[in-house]
């Protein structure tokens, strides 16, 4: 089993938690508890789709310890999460130290690497909640055309 820290739309009561819920129902993952990043990161909400991005830039100005949920997942679920997060083309799955139940453990987390510098100027939050931010627009609200998807990715990443 692998441990994964989720901080955005995959958390309980968030728009994409159904991905995790199906894994729990299938026996492919289980909730282990709440966690927080040991290092400070910039968790920003960006793009016209209001997506939470955890930027791979530790301890920069305005960064904060980020709160999230920890799940134990099997290989099948990890592979499904990799696909959902478009690892490694968009997000990158990295090992990150997470404080859970008074212990620090390294576990998987999906970080945004090679991001555009303007993202560091955005407001940060320690705890994403879609009810408190601009409405998240999921897959059905996003473009189908490959050139539109590419334009979106180039808005966020330096190179794809």
């Amino acid at each position: 089993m692998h441990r994964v820290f989720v901080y955005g739309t995959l958390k309980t009561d968030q728009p994409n938690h159904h991905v995790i819920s199906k894994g729990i129902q299938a026996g492919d993952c289980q909730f282990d508890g709440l966690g927080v990043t040991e290092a400070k990161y910039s968790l920003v909400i960006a793009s016209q789709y209001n997506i939470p991005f955890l930027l791979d830039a530790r301890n920069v100005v305005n960064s904060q310890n980020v709160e999230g949920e920890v799940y134990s997942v099997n290989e099948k679920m990890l592979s499904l999460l990799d696909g959902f997060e478009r690892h490694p083309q968009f997000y990158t799955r990295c090992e990150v130290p997470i404080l859970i139940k008074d212990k620090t453990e390294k576990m998987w987390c999906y970080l945004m690497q090679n991001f555009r510098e303007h993202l560091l100027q955005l407001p940060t939050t320690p705890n994403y909640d879609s009810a408190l931010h601009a409405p998240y627009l999921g897959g059905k609200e996003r473009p189908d055309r490959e050139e539109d998807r590419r334009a979106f990715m180039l808005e966020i990443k330096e190179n794809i």
Side-chain angles (χ1 to χ4, degrees), residues 48-66:
Q48 67 267 33
Y49 308 115
N50 303 310
I51 299 170
F53 295 107
L54 191 58
L55 306 180
D56 192 7
R58 292 168 191 86
N59 302 315
V60 296
V61 175
N62 296 327
S63 61
Q64 304 177 56
N65 299 97
V66 175

Side-chain angles (χ1 to χ4, degrees), residues 11-156:
K11 293 189 322 181
T12 303
D13 297 327
Q14 299 306 312
N16 291 318
H17 185 68
H18 61 91
V19 174
I20 298 287
S21 293
K22 288 179 184 175
I24 291 171
Q25 291 170 357
D28 295 326
C29 70
Q30 70 179 26
F31 177 73
D32 289 342
L34 301 176
V36 63
T37 59
E38 182 180 68
K40 294 180 179 182
Y41 288 88
S42 293
L43 175 56
V44 300
I45 290 85
S47 86
Q48 67 267 33
Y49 308 115
N50 303 310
I51 299 170
F53 295 107
L54 191 58
L55 306 180
D56 192 7
R58 292 168 191 86
N59 302 315
V60 296
V61 175
N62 296 327
S63 61
Q64 304 177 56
N65 299 97
V66 175
E67 301 167 20
E69 298 175 350
V70 174
Y71 292 88
S72 289
V73 304
N74 63 16
E75 287 291 334
K76 177 182 170 186
M77 188 70 189
L78 188 64
S79 178
L80 185 130
L81 290 171
D82 283 351
F84 181 80
E85 299 290 8
R86 295 186 188 177
H87 164 72
Q89 295 82 14
F90 198 58
Y91 287 95
T92 303
R93 179 167 41 92
C94 301
E95 280 193 308
V96 172
I98 301 295
L99 180 63
I100 178 173
K101 299 177 183 171
D102 298 323
K103 289 182 3 191
T104 299
E105 293 181 39
K106 282 192 173 183
M107 56 189 71
W108 295 120
C109 180
Y110 293 91
L111 300 177
M112 180 56 61
Q113 295 182 329
N114 302 314
F115 55 87
R116 296 205 175 266
E117 287 296 312
H118 76 275
L119 295 177
L120 286 172
Q121 308 307 313
L122 295 174
T124 62
T125 182
N127 189 0
Y128 175 78
D129 184 337
S130 61
L132 303 177
H133 297 93
Y136 170 80
L137 301 175
K140 293 177 183 170
E141 290 94 0
R142 295 189 197 166
D144 288 334
R145 295 180 356 182
E146 186 57 36
E147 57 266 23
D148 292 334
R149 281 193 216 135
R150 187 169 179 75
F152 157 68
M153 290 175 76
L154 286 170
E155 176 188 342
I156 303 300

